[in-house]
Amino acid sequence: MSDLTGIKVRLVEEYSDVEAFFQWLGQSRMVLAVDLETQGLDHWRQKIRTAQFGDADTGWVFEYARWSGVVEEVARKYEGDFVGHNVTFDLKFMEVDGITFPLDRVHDTQIQAHLINPDRRVGLKPLADKHISSVASHGEKLLKAFMKESGTDWASVPITEPTYWGYGALDVIFTARLHELQLPYMASFPELYELERAVGFVLMRMTQKGMRVDLPYIEQQRKLLERRLLEIRADVMEQWGITAIGSSNRIAEQLVADGWEPKEFTPTGRPKTSSAIFEQLDHPLAALKTEHNKVKTLVSTYLGKIEGLADGGVIHADIKQLGARTGRMSVARPSLQNLPRPEEGDVRSQIVRGAFIPREGSMLASIDYDQMELRIAADHSDAHSLIEAFASQPDMHHYMASMMFGRQATKADRQVSKAITFGKLFGAGVAKIGEGLGISFMEAQAFVNAYNAAFPELEQYMSILMAKGKYNFKLHGVAYTHTEFGRFQPTKPGTEYRLTNYRTQGTAADIIKRVIVDLDAAGFGEYMLLPIHDEMVFEFPAPEAASLLHEAERVMEQMDRKVPLTVGGSIGNRLSECK
């Protein structure tokens, strides 16, 4: 913990304060921390309220509307390094006003913290509480208490309120001190740190550009789906007298009354229910319940959110660079990361993807990796049958199902094999796999045993990773593995089964981030819009779309691997046309 005795915080109010700030700025220091307080999260439509600069001992707060010229001068003239916590959030807001920082000299303490230990909270306040002073969270509590009492919020709390501007001043001090503590650790993985810094700035530009959406289409689809929800509720009420279709227990009671024999029960004795279980049942009520859940999510989580977030027909999705503890990215506001993949045949995906359209004179393009994580796992495990099959089999999941069942696989066989493959890669146990398939534990165990017999190298590889994780815990006090590129992936004792997922998904994340930086270096930065799962979405000028698609595919393919990472791309006038 650090001693905060002697720190200085100052709200700039007069020109004499500005003169004092520039005198201070001329002093030698390790790094200059920068931070903003804003009206909200939307850089394209909300305003900056204050800008803060500081180092390990001093924090300065500027009312942005009055002193933005000072902020611009610091960004343009300061010759040392800058640091922020989740710094691209602040950079996006300032770039709207034409203020840019020298990105090669900008560091990020959130990235540093995640690389050091992704198995912890990496927000500024939790980190400062742990490593600097509990004043961090205490100051936040005081500010929130003031806002509640005064009926204000982040957009309206008076800038001169000491708990507000003091909160901002301390943030830069905490950030500077975290940088001093964490930067030495970056020497252990310099390439990963530089990769995360570089990809963060490319993702920032994607967010700033945004994607065009078809608002009349969204409104039309939303109205159709809302009408369908009313029809489903009316049908369920008329046929079974159920008024609360959202009650899974009530639905289960009716299904049992109609002859359903559940195989799993909750501790209280009720039938165990889930979307997967309902989807497996051959009963009209279960089918309507499943459809209702999907349609409701489509309306509220996707179409409604897109409408609300669109600004002038453009949506600026929040690309979370460190969306998962493995380093994998995610997309929020709207939550496109949770959208079913197009190849899964779910109509929700096509409806939502249909809302995204290109700007005039352009076409959308999508390039997706082929079975990326399975290929990585086959590579890591040296599973010869899979390595050879990737070179010759058009449908890997069908091939794996045939190997598992010892016969020409059916569609149902393929579904089982695919569920086990991804269940094992994602660290799911037998019970979870069974739940996803809507079958009993014993049935799932039999399928998993057959799968392990068909692909023993995968099971052996997973067992080795678990054993190494346990050994590392005994030796170092933490169970862990690393990705191909050295990203640290810890897990809690007793959860070493997760290490396969962490290494596989983390390696995939490293590769995709490297590819994004490579695409930017190859001149595709202006065309990239969004990463979704293992897919990159582009917007190309229509006359050059086909040739640019081919060139981008060439950059993305990773052919110099034991199991090559191949891609497939397509273009269209809606994202739903890109398959």
Side-chain angles (χ1 to χ4, degrees), residues 139-213:
E140 184 176 35
K141 289 174 184 175
L142 288 176
L143 174 57
K144 289 182 176 179
F146 173 82
M147 289 193 291
K148 182 177 181 180
E149 184 178 342
S150 61
T152 58
D153 57 20
W154 293 102
S156 60
V157 59
I159 289 174
T160 55
E161 164 56 36
T163 58
Y164 179 69
W165 70 261
Y167 169 93
L170 284 173
D171 275 1
V172 285
I173 293 174
F174 294 145
T175 301
R177 291 197 180 192
L178 279 174
H179 182 68
E180 291 180 359
L181 290 169
Q182 296 177 163
L183 187 63
Y185 290 92
M186 297 304 102
S188 299
F189 24 74
E191 292 184 2
L192 277 173
Y193 182 48
E194 292 308 311
L195 171 65
E196 289 290 357
R197 289 176 66 197
V199 79
F201 301 137
V202 180
L203 297 176
M204 180 178 72
R205 292 198 295 272
M206 291 189 209
T207 300
Q208 288 170 312
K209 181 174 183 177
M211 291 183 71
R212 188 181 172 204
V213 293

Side-chain angles (χ1 to χ4, degrees), residues 269-331:
R270 290 181 177 275
K272 195 170 185 180
T273 62
S274 69
S275 297
I277 290 174
F278 286 135
E279 200 162 355
Q280 294 289 326
L281 297 180
D282 183 18
H283 190 288
L285 176 58
L288 287 171
K289 167 67 173 173
T290 297
E291 183 185 359
H292 186 274
N293 288 350
K294 290 181 177 181
V295 173
K296 186 177 179 181
T297 299
L298 184 55
V299 172
S300 60
T301 302
Y302 294 110
L303 298 182
K305 289 281 178 64
I306 293 172
E307 276 186 308
L309 290 168
D311 178 61
V314 174
I315 190 165
H316 303 269
D318 180 12
I319 307 172
K320 295 186 179 297
Q321 178 179 348
L322 300 169
R325 47 110 51 238
T326 58
R328 187 169 189 172
M329 296 174 288
S330 64
V331 181

